[in-house]
Amino acid sequence: LIFDDCKPKYSLNLIYQYAKEYNKLVIGNHHGSADIHNYMNSIGVVCDYVFVFGKKERDLYPVYDKILLGGVPSNDALRTYRQTYKHILLIVNFLGNSKNTPFEINFDKEFIIKSQIEKFAKTYNKKIVVKLKSRLDDREYQQNVDYVKSLFSSKVDVIVDCMDDNKLIMDSYMVIGAPSTLALKAIQAGITTILIKNSGALGVFHDYEGIVNLNSDEILGEIWRQNIQ
């Protein structure tokens, strides 16, 4: 069995127990930008082995033969796309209207004001596209879309799911938002990518230089730094 997650929820631990009754091998996968303990607690509970995001992430762990080298195969196709510079992409983790957010920084009016994202969009003459994260425990799709649109003074595009997230990334002039596996695509493609501290779990981004506080001066400074290099 292969899971696309490795956390003991969604009854994965129960499926694992059932699989072991028949002596079946179970392999989990890194799901999202998670802290180290999430994997160590999964072995023997949710899966027998777990794939992580390559050698860099595996090296965060003690020597442990059940942590396997993996990655995001769809990212390999990024080389076949051309960057079109159409929009500024905002990657959202938790919304300000969420009742279950575990992070200090959420996507709300304060985020818009402190980031000065609308000013950046006007300066660079780019439209804003907001990528929301679809969640199994949050069925308020339209309510969340309306909430995001209400935060801006002008029209923005809001996307929850898309057919080709590689294209969404490669159509971006720059990417700003929470640490996420989607942001890995932008970084791998060499697109200017600024991640906001305390808006998500760092995980594999723990040493990424483009992590800044929610402050327009720091965001602008990081935009310059990435484009001067």
Side-chain angles (χ1 to χ4, degrees), residues 32-43:
S33 183
D35 295 327
I36 183 170
H37 68 273
N38 288 335
Y39 303 113
M40 304 305 290
N41 292 343
S42 296
I43 303 299

Side-chain angles (χ1 to χ4, degrees), residues 206-225:
H206 69 98
D207 60 351
Y208 179 58
E209 292 185 47
I211 297 176
V212 302
N213 291 305
L214 181 57
N215 176 289
S216 60
D217 290 338
E218 291 192 27
I219 293 172
L220 180 59
E222 184 57 26
I223 292 172
W224 286 351
R225 186 192 71 80

Side-chain angles (χ1 to χ4, degrees), residues 153-207:
S153 61
S154 56
K155 182 181 177 181
V156 299
D157 291 341
V158 181
I159 296 174
V160 179
D161 297 306
C162 62
M163 293 297 294
D164 188 348
D165 53 10
N166 280 351
K167 186 176 187 302
L168 177 66
I169 290 293
M170 295 305 294
D171 282 344
S172 302
Y173 177 72
M174 73 175 71
V175 175
I176 300 173
S180 71
T181 51
L182 191 61
L184 285 173
K185 292 181 181 290
I187 294 170
Q188 186 172 328
I191 296 172
T192 300
T193 305
I194 295 94
L195 304 180
I196 304 303
K197 189 181 300 183
N198 298 322
S199 63
L202 289 180
V204 72
F205 298 102
H206 69 98
D207 60 351

Side-chain angles (χ1 to χ4, degrees), residues 49-60:
Y49 297 87
V50 62
F51 281 111
V52 296
F53 287 142
K55 185 177 184 299
K56 174 184 175 181
E57 187 172 25
R58 189 189 65 179
D59 289 348
L60 295 175

